[in-house]
Amino acid sequence: MMKIITTPMCEDVLRISGLTDYTVVKPDEIKDADIAILLSETRSEIPKMSIKLNTYSQVYESVLEIQKRFNTKINEEEINVIKNLIDENNAKKDNRKNTKVKVYSNFLKDTVLDMGFTIDEDCDYIVAPDYMNLEMNGPECVVVPSHKNVSTNIVERVKARYDLLERKLCMKH
């Protein structure tokens, strides 16, 4: 029997993908398993399946990757919610391309690009994670909740970031 571990930030994707036999551990307890399913930036001494969960598409692709690797049955209701969120986001991308954003973090860069905003040093807004204490002069800074201040529900977590960026970055246009 294969021993699979994951962290609280990834657990939802395993559940949606239909994987049922796994153990949830804190990031500093990643050990004693055959494989760990972890965020790509999480370090691991044991074999690891890296997933990205910054955008709706990354969540969708991660679910499919886990389903394929472990031959599970996906939760169709939840995957359809994710597909609808991808479609809604794609429908709004054209309206966002004129908003120029400077981004301080790879996970937020993924989100900003997926939403259709333009990344540019000469920007209308700055987007930064809450763990950076930036002193800013100039463009408005939008602070986005990161690890400790977010839902462990992956769809809620991604949706909250998209909704925040939509509200804050689409005001001027």
Side-chain angles (χ1 to χ4, degrees):
M1 181 86 152
M2 181 180 271
K3 183 174 181 192
I4 302 168
I5 61 172
T6 193
T7 59
M9 295 298 266
C10 298
E11 181 182 10
D12 251 19
V13 178
L14 278 66
R15 188 182 51 71
I16 295 167
S17 66
L19 198 59
T20 54
D21 195 15
Y22 59 87
T23 305
V24 179
V25 299
K26 292 182 182 137
D28 60 353
E29 297 169 352
I30 299 169
K31 58 183 181 280
D32 302 328
D34 297 307
I35 189 165
I37 301 174
L38 304 169
L39 294 174
S40 58
E41 57 272 15
T42 305
R43 294 172 198 258
S44 172
E45 299 298 315
I46 62 173
K48 166 180 156 178
M49 179 178 183
S50 292
I51 57 176
K52 284 182 128 330
L53 304 175
N54 302 323
T55 69
Y56 296 130
S57 298
Q58 288 176 350
V59 171
Y60 181 77
E61 289 158 16
S62 294
V63 166
L64 295 182
E65 220 176 290
I66 293 166
Q67 185 272 331
K68 184 177 174 187
R69 178 150 183 189
F70 297 99
N71 195 23
T72 57
K73 186 171 177 3
I74 289 177
N75 179 321
E76 289 298 327
E77 193 176 314
E78 290 196 68
I79 204 72
N80 286 334
V81 167
I82 296 167
K83 283 185 201 169
N84 289 336
L85 289 166
I86 291 170
D87 292 343
E88 281 175 32
N89 178 57
N90 288 341
K92 295 176 183 174
K93 279 186 180 182
D94 271 357
N95 300 333
R96 298 174 180 145
K97 67 179 178 278
N98 294 327
T99 303
K100 294 178 184 168
V101 181
K102 183 175 182 175
V103 184
Y104 285 93
S105 137
N106 288 331
F107 89 90
L108 290 172
K109 184 183 266 184
D110 288 352
T111 304
V112 165
L113 288 172
D114 188 59
M115 291 181 75
F117 296 111
T118 301
I119 293 184
D120 195 329
E121 290 293 312
D122 179 27
C123 60
D124 303 309
Y125 296 95
I126 291 171
V127 174
D130 57 4
Y131 56 79
M132 285 186 160
N133 297 323
L134 298 175
E135 294 291 324
M136 290 292 155
N137 294 331
E140 184 179 336
C141 186
V142 178
V143 177
V144 180
S146 62
H147 305 338
K148 299 205 174 16
N149 305 315
V150 293
S151 172
T152 54
N153 177 305
I154 188 58
V155 174
E156 285 178 19
R157 182 164 77 231
V158 174
K159 189 172 186 335
R161 288 182 184 143
Y162 277 65
D163 290 349
L164 172 70
L165 291 171
E166 178 79 17
R167 272 195 323 277
K168 300 284 190 173
L169 303 181
C170 293
M171 294 186 311
K172 288 183 183 173
H173 299 282

